[in-house]
Amino acid sequence: MTRVRYTSKDIDLIARMMRAEAEGEGQLGMLMVGNVIVNRAAADCLDFREVRSIRDVIFQIQGGNYSFEAVQKGNLFYNPAREVERELARKVLKNWRQHPSKYSLWYFNPYAPCPPTWYGQPFAGQYKQHCYYEPQANTCESAYR
């Protein structure tokens, strides 16, 4: 059972994003980034009320910029997905979830210790260089489905 509807193009988009954002963190790090993307598409709250598809999530603009640095700067996002990343994307779309990204809607690499909150949202945990943040209690029930 999947949490969001998706197409083969969505698999490619998530695969490219996972590689661009977390290739240096191995397959588990890429899965966690993919999980945040799926969480955003499934959430109907906060900054994600208007994003209902994988494409909407990846190309969402907030504060005048794309939400993901890989899309803003281009880097590896514009390289074609490899089969290994496509397999990881399929896995995350088929409901793979693991702490600290299990319910997270945000992540970032601070190049320093993870702050206890990120734009008011509580720290869920860290995997390698990325810090993950879940919605504040009672603000986004759909993120916990």
Side-chain angles (χ1 to χ4, degrees):
M1 181 172 160
T2 63
R3 295 175 51 227
V4 297
R5 292 169 45 170
Y6 65 92
T7 67
S8 60
K9 287 183 180 184
D10 293 328
I11 290 169
D12 190 65
L13 277 173
I14 291 177
R16 289 169 32 213
M17 182 62 72
M18 290 172 20
R19 178 181 179 190
E21 292 277 324
E23 182 176 31
E25 297 190 353
Q27 290 188 4
L28 185 55
M30 288 190 283
L31 283 166
M32 289 191 188
V33 163
N35 192 66
V36 169
I37 293 167
V38 173
N39 288 350
R40 287 181 178 190
D44 187 18
C45 60
L46 305 169
D47 295 335
F48 312 107
R49 289 187 200 282
E50 303 298 320
V51 294
R52 297 281 54 95
S53 71
I54 298 302
R55 183 172 183 76
D56 288 347
V57 170
I58 291 175
F59 293 106
Q60 183 183 20
I61 295 176
Q62 295 177 302
N65 289 310
Y66 288 109
S67 296
F68 293 102
E69 187 174 317
V71 178
Q72 287 176 28
K73 294 184 177 179
N75 64 13
L76 294 176
F77 178 69
Y78 293 102
N79 287 336
R82 298 177 296 199
E83 190 53 36
V84 66
E85 289 102 16
R86 283 191 199 95
E87 283 302 316
L88 294 173
R90 287 183 195 96
K91 187 173 183 175
V92 83
L93 283 160
K94 290 180 181 172
N95 211 19
W96 180 93
R97 295 171 104 178
Q98 182 174 315
H99 179 78
S101 69
K102 186 172 186 175
Y103 304 114
S104 294
L105 295 176
W106 304 272
Y107 67 87
F108 83 111
N109 180 345
Y111 303 104
C114 297
T117 61
W118 179 247
Y119 291 103
Q121 307 303 322
F123 177 62
Q126 181 174 358
Y127 182 75
K128 295 193 178 182
Q129 298 300 311
H130 282 104
C131 306
Y132 291 86
Y133 295 83
E134 295 180 2
Q136 243 179 7
N138 301 315
T139 63
C140 187
E141 294 304 313
S142 57
Y144 296 95
R145 290 186 203 142

